Amino acid sequence: KYKSTYVANRTVEIYKSNLNKFLGFTDKPVKSLSLNDIASFIDHLKVNKYKGATISNYLSSIKTFLKFNTEIGCAYFPYGLIKLPRTDEHAPAFVSREDYEMIDELLDEDSFDSLTKRLVFRLLWETGCRVGELTEISLDEIVDFEHCVITRQKNKKKNLIMWSDETKGLLKRYVGARLVYFDNAKNNLFPSRNNSEKSITHRTIQR
């Protein structure tokens, strides 16, 4: 009823189909759902080669459903943490998909600095994070190398961000190298080379 009041029948059918697939995958009651369940479902879609726009559509349905259940008191879920991933159709005009792929190919992993640059570049592109939001990420905020919750600088809201399997592998290699490169670093994901107790700066990334 919540959806059918505002949108066309075709949209309602897609909404129902998306939710049935998600709830069937989790096999849990709504009250027991968690962010990890959503992340696992998205991984399942990626493994089965679903396109970014389709995944975004699933997430939109899930977020709307959880918001509705929270508002009517059937369950509580921090639906505001669910951030829809960027799709190619909505990529910023100043960086095309072709530009991204060309730059990514030019970035190697021959040194720790090169590995860091490539990881930062891929995370910024795939998550839509601001530079300041990325530098604030801590190691213990990252779950299974697959996703984490960040605080948006613009409105201070918390959002769940996710990245591709390829970037997940890159992150694993980086974290392993980081432990060797910074033997006394704090919990920040990207420690400063000059002071490992602090994160790298905006200026360092922009260079």
Side-chain angles (χ1 to χ4, degrees):
K1 291 181 180 179
Y2 176 77
K3 268 288 183 182
S4 60
T5 303
Y6 302 103
V7 297
N9 290 335
R10 173 60 179 162
T11 303
V12 174
E13 291 305 314
I14 294 174
Y15 172 78
K16 288 180 180 179
S17 176
N18 289 350
L19 290 180
N20 287 335
K21 189 160 189 172
F22 168 64
L23 294 173
F25 174 84
T26 61
D27 195 26
K28 287 183 176 181
V30 177
K31 292 182 179 180
S32 300
L33 293 173
S34 68
L35 288 173
N36 283 339
D37 293 321
I38 297 175
S40 295
F41 179 64
I42 297 307
D43 285 341
H44 166 73
L45 297 180
K46 290 179 179 178
V47 167
N48 286 278
K49 308 300 182 183
Y50 282 73
K51 294 182 178 180
T54 303
I55 293 175
S56 182
N57 185 269
Y58 271 102
L59 273 176
S60 178
S61 297
I62 294 168
K63 183 174 182 178
T64 300
F65 174 71
L66 294 174
K67 178 181 179 182
F68 176 64
N69 276 272
T70 298
E71 289 177 346
I72 65 175
C74 288
Y76 172 76
F77 193 92
Y79 57 85
L81 297 180
I82 302 174
K83 176 70 175 178
L84 303 187
R86 175 183 291 163
T87 61
D88 290 350
E89 295 90 331
H90 298 93
F94 52 86
V95 179
S96 68
R97 183 70 186 185
E98 290 73 20
D99 290 337
Y100 163 75
E101 292 176 349
M102 180 183 68
I103 295 171
D104 188 53
E105 287 181 3
L106 291 174
L107 295 172
D108 58 48
E109 302 171 26
D110 295 340
S111 66
F112 181 75
D113 284 346
S114 298
L115 180 62
T116 303
K117 288 177 182 178
R118 191 174 191 207
L119 178 61
V120 167
F121 177 69
R122 291 186 69 94
L123 287 175
L124 287 173
W125 171 266
E126 293 184 6
T127 67
C129 278
R130 295 169 181 262
V131 172
E133 293 165 351
L134 188 66
T135 59
E136 291 297 318
I137 295 176
S138 299
L139 285 173
D140 59 7
E141 294 175 327
I142 299 174
V143 180
D144 297 330
F145 293 97
E146 295 175 348
H147 61 274
C148 73
V149 172
I150 64 168
T151 300
R152 293 292 177 183
Q153 291 183 328
K154 187 174 182 179
N155 53 24
K156 302 304 179 184
K157 292 183 178 180
K158 293 186 179 297
N159 286 134
L160 173 70
I161 60 170
M162 294 172 280
W163 41 84
S164 67
D165 288 339
E166 185 176 351
T167 300
K168 173 183 175 180
L170 188 64
L171 177 60
K172 284 184 176 180
R173 293 194 294 277
Y174 167 80
V175 170
R178 176 191 177 281
L179 294 175
V180 176
Y181 198 86
F182 295 103
D183 56 355
N184 62 342
K186 298 295 184 181
N187 194 38
N188 41 329
L189 177 60
F190 295 110
S192 169
R193 190 163 44 180
N194 298 324
N195 183 353
S196 61
E197 294 187 358
K198 296 182 178 180
S199 296
I200 55 178
T201 65
H202 290 61
R203 186 179 296 275
T204 300
I205 291 180
Q206 289 167 352
R207 287 174 181 170

